[in-house]
Amino acid sequence: MQDLIRPSVKDDAEAALASALRTLNTEKNGLSALEEALQNGLAAPFAEAVRVIGASKGRLIVTGIGKSGHVGSKLAATFASTGTAAFFVHSAEANHGDLGMISSDDVILALSWSGETAELKGVVQFATRYRIPLIAITAGEDSALGRAATTCLLMPRVTEACPHGLAPTTSTLMQLAIGDALAIALLEARNFTPGDFRTFHPGGSLGASLTHVSEVMHKGDRIPTVPLGTLMPEAMKVLSHKRFGCVAVLDSDGLLAGIVTEGDLARNLHRNLSELSVDDVMTRSPKTVSPKSLVSSAMSILEEHNISVLIVTEENRPVGVIHFHDLLRIKAA
């Protein structure tokens, strides 16, 4: 009898989907409320927080506990990776010695949705005693944290996605969003460049993608080149010897006039290549890349045009060559 009334797999799937859509819609409404707040009363304290953090001679100390603490830990990592010296101090641990990690030159960013988190009391008192700027991210305007903060980023009160209103969901998403907004505003205020970003991300595919083409390209005698008018048999020798699958064709001024690739050879097999010159076979106006470009840009060009090699040029003069295998080698592809 129980099998007869048990929900079907289809019913279970539909219920799960409906729940997911309700959650996303509720959290989307929270972000919309935050966006509206930033266009109104939250604008001035947000700008002040950016100014205070940007002017600090010390570090940004992010603190919180529970779900707010998890968000704070992520935000500290985001700040640190985008040029703002930051680290996370657990609010409870701060009361047991970690306050010694905070100096008078620092700025404290404290996260607590209610603003009444008991574990934050020690951090708040420490900030007040040593006149350390305290920025609060809270929904409790009249809370202990809100009153003590030198700058209060007051979050709008919203409905949690949790149907019981207990599990922090919409609220933590909003804390994360306002923290990310602070980090990016500071990044832009500092004119933080992709090169700077690479300094903090030297490892993995992200660091590799921030490498410049000039650091990876082959140059000098390694560049496969022949002048206009070169007969195909001679050009094919260069192509075979250099092993890049192509040869760049230069005009009398040393400028790039075209490129002959293995694909061009395949497309012309019906002709007598021994009687042709590179002028008859080459692809004119080939795809190129600047030595100052990031390898991520080179990879994008290779993928977009389904090719495996690029001639690196400055003012249309070949200065290097970069192959798909070079990007594989540094794990940028």
Side-chain angles (χ1 to χ4, degrees), residues 101-268:
M101 302 168 69
I102 307 173
S103 76
S104 58
D105 288 331
D106 295 336
V107 174
I108 298 173
L109 176 64
L111 287 78
S112 170
W113 190 253
S114 69
E116 297 293 351
T117 304
E119 290 83 357
L120 276 173
K121 184 177 179 180
V123 175
V124 171
Q125 291 178 340
F126 188 82
T128 302
R129 178 180 178 183
Y130 292 101
R131 298 183 180 179
I132 299 171
L134 175 62
I135 300 169
I137 296 179
T138 181
E141 183 175 11
D142 296 323
S143 64
L145 177 60
R147 293 193 304 270
T150 53
T151 304
C152 183
L153 302 181
L154 185 64
M155 299 290 96
R157 289 283 184 177
V158 294
T159 302
E160 298 285 10
C162 169
H164 308 299
L166 299 175
T169 45
T170 311
S171 57
T172 49
L173 177 64
M174 292 168 65
Q175 288 177 321
L176 182 64
I178 194 68
D180 282 344
L182 279 172
I184 299 306
L186 287 160
L187 176 153
E188 293 177 343
R190 290 191 173 95
N191 294 316
F192 196 78
T193 67
D196 296 324
F197 203 86
R198 184 193 174 202
T199 300
F200 297 107
H201 299 79
S205 59
L206 180 56
S209 67
L210 295 171
T211 301
H212 289 95
V213 168
S214 60
E215 300 176 63
V216 182
M217 71 183 189
H218 303 270
K219 48 192 175 182
D221 292 340
R222 292 289 292 139
I223 307 174
T225 62
V226 295
L228 279 168
T230 301
L231 293 177
M232 281 304 301
E234 185 61 30
M236 290 170 66
K237 289 181 182 178
V238 175
L239 186 151
S240 176
H241 176 68
K242 301 291 185 176
R243 297 189 176 184
F244 286 109
C246 72
V247 60
V249 181
L250 311 183
D251 65 15
S252 57
D253 295 320
L255 302 179
L256 184 64
I259 190 172
V260 176
T261 67
E262 292 175 340
D264 292 320
L265 297 181
R267 284 185 288 273
N268 286 276

